[in-house]
Amino acid sequence: MKKHHKTSLIVLILFSGWLTVAAISFRSPGNEEVPYPEGYRAWTHVKSALDAKSHAAFHHIYGNAKAIEGYKTGNFADGSVLVFDVLEAVSKDSLVNEGTRKQIDVMVRNTDRYKSTGGWGYEEFGGDSKTERRIGVLAVTSCYNCHKQRKDNDNVFSKFRN
């Protein structure tokens, strides 16, 4: 390979790496990535629901310890995490059971980090994937615009069932 081609290839690789780092590190306030909630199934189960019209999905809500305190006080502190676990509902032999996971929706409370979305970060992970993100920078239009209707409950729709 000619020296000129090697130099061009090295420059291209370095520039590509720089672009990747810049894309990851440059996020406007309110659009920072929400982390996947490892271990959420061991958290407190808040409530469940079954779509009564279509029986298409089970919805289970889980909260970490800070979120459960938020349900009790009406004020969710930074560090509160809520998970909306959505699973296919499968009817067979007069029973409706859980099928495959459709998605998990995550809300993370951080009033400094997510100022543009009412102090909550939002994300939806596809199926069982910990990396397939469906919301990202669309959190304001996809999530917050609806959740802000519940400002009286700190932008949270669900209530804790004792």
mmCIF file of all heavy atoms in Angstrom, residues 9-26:
data_model
loop_
_atom_site.group_PDB
_atom_site.id
_atom_site.type_symbol
_atom_site.label_atom_id
_atom_site.label_comp_id
_atom_site.label_asym_id
_atom_site.label_seq_id
_atom_site.Cartn_x
_atom_site.Cartn_y
_atom_site.Cartn_z
ATOM 1 N N LEU A 9 -5.977 6.559 5.120
ATOM 2 C CA LEU A 9 -6.746 5.595 5.885
ATOM 3 C C LEU A 9 -6.672 5.890 7.379
ATOM 4 O O LEU A 9 -7.685 5.851 8.085
ATOM 5 C CB LEU A 9 -6.239 4.166 5.603
ATOM 6 C CG LEU A 9 -6.995 3.046 6.292
ATOM 7 C CD1 LEU A 9 -8.458 3.044 5.871
ATOM 8 C CD2 LEU A 9 -6.348 1.707 5.984
ATOM 9 N N ILE A 10 -5.487 6.223 7.873
ATOM 10 C CA ILE A 10 -5.312 6.563 9.291
ATOM 11 C C ILE A 10 -6.116 7.808 9.646
ATOM 12 O O ILE A 10 -6.809 7.853 10.661
ATOM 13 C CB ILE A 10 -3.818 6.736 9.637
ATOM 14 C CG1 ILE A 10 -3.129 5.375 9.577
ATOM 15 C CG2 ILE A 10 -3.639 7.381 11.015
ATOM 16 C CD1 ILE A 10 -1.614 5.452 9.666
ATOM 17 N N VAL A 11 -6.061 8.818 8.803
ATOM 18 C CA VAL A 11 -6.814 10.051 9.041
ATOM 19 C C VAL A 11 -8.320 9.750 9.054
ATOM 20 O O VAL A 11 -9.059 10.233 9.921
ATOM 21 C CB VAL A 11 -6.471 11.127 7.979
ATOM 22 C CG1 VAL A 11 -7.449 12.287 8.037
ATOM 23 C CG2 VAL A 11 -5.055 11.612 8.166
ATOM 24 N N LEU A 12 -8.777 8.927 8.126
ATOM 25 C CA LEU A 12 -10.191 8.564 8.066
ATOM 26 C C LEU A 12 -10.620 7.823 9.327
ATOM 27 O O LEU A 12 -11.677 8.103 9.900
ATOM 28 C CB LEU A 12 -10.463 7.710 6.827
ATOM 29 C CG LEU A 12 -11.904 7.251 6.623
ATOM 30 C CD1 LEU A 12 -12.826 8.447 6.467
ATOM 31 C CD2 LEU A 12 -12.007 6.332 5.427
ATOM 32 N N ILE A 13 -9.823 6.887 9.797
ATOM 33 C CA ILE A 13 -10.136 6.125 11.012
ATOM 34 C C ILE A 13 -10.175 7.056 12.223
ATOM 35 O O ILE A 13 -11.109 6.987 13.034
ATOM 36 C CB ILE A 13 -9.128 4.978 11.223
ATOM 37 C CG1 ILE A 13 -9.341 3.901 10.149
ATOM 38 C CG2 ILE A 13 -9.245 4.378 12.623
ATOM 39 C CD1 ILE A 13 -8.250 2.856 10.095
ATOM 40 N N LEU A 14 -9.198 7.933 12.353
ATOM 41 C CA LEU A 14 -9.173 8.871 13.479
ATOM 42 C C LEU A 14 -10.365 9.813 13.446
ATOM 43 O O LEU A 14 -10.981 10.085 14.472
ATOM 44 C CB LEU A 14 -7.864 9.658 13.491
ATOM 45 C CG LEU A 14 -6.616 8.865 13.861
ATOM 46 C CD1 LEU A 14 -5.374 9.726 13.673
ATOM 47 C CD2 LEU A 14 -6.703 8.349 15.280
ATOM 48 N N PHE A 15 -10.715 10.309 12.255
ATOM 49 C CA PHE A 15 -11.854 11.212 12.127
ATOM 50 C C PHE A 15 -13.153 10.490 12.476
ATOM 51 O O PHE A 15 -14.014 11.044 13.164
ATOM 52 C CB PHE A 15 -11.921 11.782 10.705
ATOM 53 C CG PHE A 15 -13.029 12.770 10.512
ATOM 54 C CD1 PHE A 15 -12.990 14.017 11.121
ATOM 55 C CD2 PHE A 15 -14.137 12.450 9.735
ATOM 56 C CE1 PHE A 15 -14.025 14.928 10.958
ATOM 57 C CE2 PHE A 15 -15.169 13.351 9.571
ATOM 58 C CZ PHE A 15 -15.108 14.592 10.179
ATOM 59 N N SER A 16 -13.305 9.242 12.021
ATOM 60 C CA SER A 16 -14.500 8.459 12.348
ATOM 61 C C SER A 16 -14.618 8.252 13.853
ATOM 62 O O SER A 16 -15.699 8.354 14.427
ATOM 63 C CB SER A 16 -14.457 7.098 11.649
ATOM 64 O OG SER A 16 -14.501 7.267 10.264
ATOM 65 N N GLY A 17 -13.491 7.951 14.507
ATOM 66 C CA GLY A 17 -13.496 7.784 15.958
ATOM 67 C C GLY A 17 -13.883 9.067 16.662
ATOM 68 O O GLY A 17 -14.660 9.058 17.619
ATOM 69 N N TRP A 18 -13.357 10.191 16.187
ATOM 70 C CA TRP A 18 -13.680 11.477 16.788
ATOM 71 C C TRP A 18 -15.171 11.780 16.641
ATOM 72 O O TRP A 18 -15.818 12.234 17.580
ATOM 73 C CB TRP A 18 -12.851 12.591 16.145
ATOM 74 C CG TRP A 18 -13.215 13.945 16.667
ATOM 75 C CD1 TRP A 18 -12.791 14.532 17.816
ATOM 76 C CD2 TRP A 18 -14.139 14.865 16.069
ATOM 77 N NE1 TRP A 18 -13.390 15.758 17.965
ATOM 78 C CE2 TRP A 18 -14.216 15.987 16.910
ATOM 79 C CE3 TRP A 18 -14.890 14.837 14.904
ATOM 80 C CZ2 TRP A 18 -15.022 17.075 16.614
ATOM 81 C CZ3 TRP A 18 -15.689 15.924 14.616
ATOM 82 C CH2 TRP A 18 -15.742 17.026 15.470
ATOM 83 N N LEU A 19 -15.737 11.494 15.466
ATOM 84 C CA LEU A 19 -17.172 11.733 15.254
ATOM 85 C C LEU A 19 -18.020 10.880 16.196
ATOM 86 O O LEU A 19 -19.015 11.357 16.735
ATOM 87 C CB LEU A 19 -17.563 11.419 13.806
ATOM 88 C CG LEU A 19 -17.248 12.487 12.777
ATOM 89 C CD1 LEU A 19 -17.624 11.997 11.382
ATOM 90 C CD2 LEU A 19 -17.960 13.789 13.086
ATOM 91 N N THR A 20 -17.620 9.642 16.391
ATOM 92 C CA THR A 20 -18.361 8.756 17.298
ATOM 93 C C THR A 20 -18.336 9.296 18.720
ATOM 94 O O THR A 20 -19.361 9.376 19.384
ATOM 95 C CB THR A 20 -17.772 7.332 17.261
ATOM 96 O OG1 THR A 20 -17.860 6.858 15.915
ATOM 97 C CG2 THR A 20 -18.524 6.396 18.191
ATOM 98 N N VAL A 21 -17.157 9.685 19.180
ATOM 99 C CA VAL A 21 -17.028 10.239 20.537
ATOM 100 C C VAL A 21 -17.831 11.526 20.663
ATOM 101 O O VAL A 21 -18.535 11.741 21.645
ATOM 102 C CB VAL A 21 -15.541 10.480 20.905
ATOM 103 C CG1 VAL A 21 -15.413 11.282 22.184
ATOM 104 C CG2 VAL A 21 -14.820 9.150 21.025
ATOM 105 N N ALA A 22 -17.780 12.373 19.659
ATOM 106 C CA ALA A 22 -18.523 13.631 19.697
ATOM 107 C C ALA A 22 -20.029 13.378 19.739
ATOM 108 O O ALA A 22 -20.753 14.021 20.489
ATOM 109 C CB ALA A 22 -18.173 14.496 18.479
ATOM 110 N N ALA A 23 -20.497 12.425 18.955
ATOM 111 C CA ALA A 23 -21.935 12.124 18.945
ATOM 112 C C ALA A 23 -22.400 11.582 20.287
ATOM 113 O O ALA A 23 -23.487 11.891 20.753
ATOM 114 C CB ALA A 23 -22.242 11.112 17.838
ATOM 115 N N ILE A 24 -21.578 10.758 20.922
ATOM 116 C CA ILE A 24 -21.950 10.178 22.214
ATOM 117 C C ILE A 24 -21.893 11.228 23.311
ATOM 118 O O ILE A 24 -22.766 11.305 24.160
ATOM 119 C CB ILE A 24 -21.026 8.989 22.562
ATOM 120 C CG1 ILE A 24 -21.331 7.835 21.607
ATOM 121 C CG2 ILE A 24 -21.186 8.560 24.005
ATOM 122 C CD1 ILE A 24 -20.336 6.706 21.678
ATOM 123 N N SER A 25 -20.859 12.057 23.317
ATOM 124 C CA SER A 25 -20.675 12.980 24.432
ATOM 125 C C SER A 25 -21.466 14.276 24.288
ATOM 126 O O SER A 25 -21.718 14.948 25.265
ATOM 127 C CB SER A 25 -19.189 13.305 24.613
ATOM 128 O OG SER A 25 -18.686 13.939 23.458
ATOM 129 N N PHE A 26 -21.885 14.641 23.077
ATOM 130 C CA PHE A 26 -22.634 15.878 22.909
ATOM 131 C C PHE A 26 -24.123 15.579 22.911
ATOM 132 O O PHE A 26 -24.663 15.071 21.962
ATOM 133 C CB PHE A 26 -22.267 16.597 21.606
ATOM 134 C CG PHE A 26 -23.054 17.861 21.418
ATOM 135 C CD1 PHE A 26 -22.762 18.983 22.161
ATOM 136 C CD2 PHE A 26 -24.108 17.914 20.527
ATOM 137 C CE1 PHE A 26 -23.501 20.146 22.008
ATOM 138 C CE2 PHE A 26 -24.850 19.064 20.369
ATOM 139 C CZ PHE A 26 -24.540 20.181 21.103
#
